[in-house]
Amino acid sequence: IDATRPGTGKSLLAETVALIATGRKATMMTAPYDDNEWRKRIASTLAEGATIITIDNIKARLQSASLDSALTSHTVKERILGESRNGVYAQRATWMATGNNIQVGGDLPRRCYWIRMDAHTAKPWTRGGFKHDLETWVPAHRGELIAALLTLVRAWYDAGQPPTRVP
């Protein structure tokens, strides 16, 4: 989830997705700067049973062989910290990353969906007049939102699962 400027609502969108999907806000973590730390974070986060993982406020190029692998794996095998044995962790999580003008490298571009947000204002954090306060409205209407999403999926399925023309 990428934006042109800070305060556009990237983290709010990630939290809203998590809230709809799980009934809880997303747990946010920052991106480590080397692949060795990525391996540790991935394994420890999956060991906790996370279902939605959000890497918030990407500041540098997002690139990691360990993250590349985790995104397309069913399981992650990694040495347990402080021990001389490996742990095997199920990888069923949905991963999200937020940042301004994110650059991705390695195999990540072909393993990601890019959401670009632009509030069309120099100071997006000063906007107001929104119809809903998502932090209170989404939990109160979560069932309706899930039903609407399932209706969209069912309509796509009934239409013969037409392929997208978007690259």
Side-chain angles (χ1 to χ4, degrees):
I1 304 171
D2 185 31
T4 57
R5 301 185 187 285
T8 302
K10 303 169 299 295
S11 298
L12 178 60
L13 176 57
E15 285 190 337
T16 302
V17 168
L19 197 53
I20 294 168
T22 67
R24 299 182 307 278
K25 286 186 177 182
T27 301
M28 307 286 192
M29 71 176 184
T30 58
Y33 287 101
D34 66 58
D35 202 58
N36 191 41
E37 188 60 29
W38 268 112
R39 288 184 312 99
K40 294 173 189 175
R41 291 243 184 121
I42 290 167
S44 61
T45 304
L46 293 177
E48 294 171 347
T51 56
I52 295 189
I53 301 168
T54 304
I55 306 157
D56 197 33
N57 291 320
I58 303 292
K59 300 290 184 203
R61 182 180 184 90
L62 182 59
Q63 183 171 344
S64 162
S66 295
L67 183 58
D68 289 346
S69 176
L71 289 177
T72 55
S73 298
H74 294 285
T75 56
V76 172
K77 184 176 184 177
E78 192 59 55
R79 185 175 67 82
I80 299 170
L81 292 176
E83 297 185 25
S84 295
R85 64 184 183 96
N86 288 323
V88 178
Y89 311 103
Q91 200 315 83
R92 294 185 196 100
T94 297
W95 294 71
M96 293 185 277
T98 69
N100 296 308
N101 304 304
I102 298 174
Q103 295 180 2
V104 292
D107 285 344
L108 284 178
R110 66 182 186 85
R111 298 175 188 210
C112 298
Y113 294 102
W114 182 46
I115 299 170
R116 179 76 167 167
M117 299 175 72
D118 187 345
H120 300 288
T121 180
K123 297 179 181 176
W125 59 89
T126 64
R127 295 171 296 164
F130 294 106
K131 184 174 181 179
H132 301 292
D133 170 14
L134 295 179
E135 290 189 23
T136 57
W137 188 85
V138 169
H141 294 85
R142 183 171 174 245
E144 296 165 54
L145 291 166
I146 292 170
L149 289 167
L150 291 173
T151 300
L152 290 171
V153 171
R154 181 63 189 197
W156 171 78
Y157 194 84
D158 287 346
Q161 304 160 28
T164 182
R165 291 186 270 296
V166 178

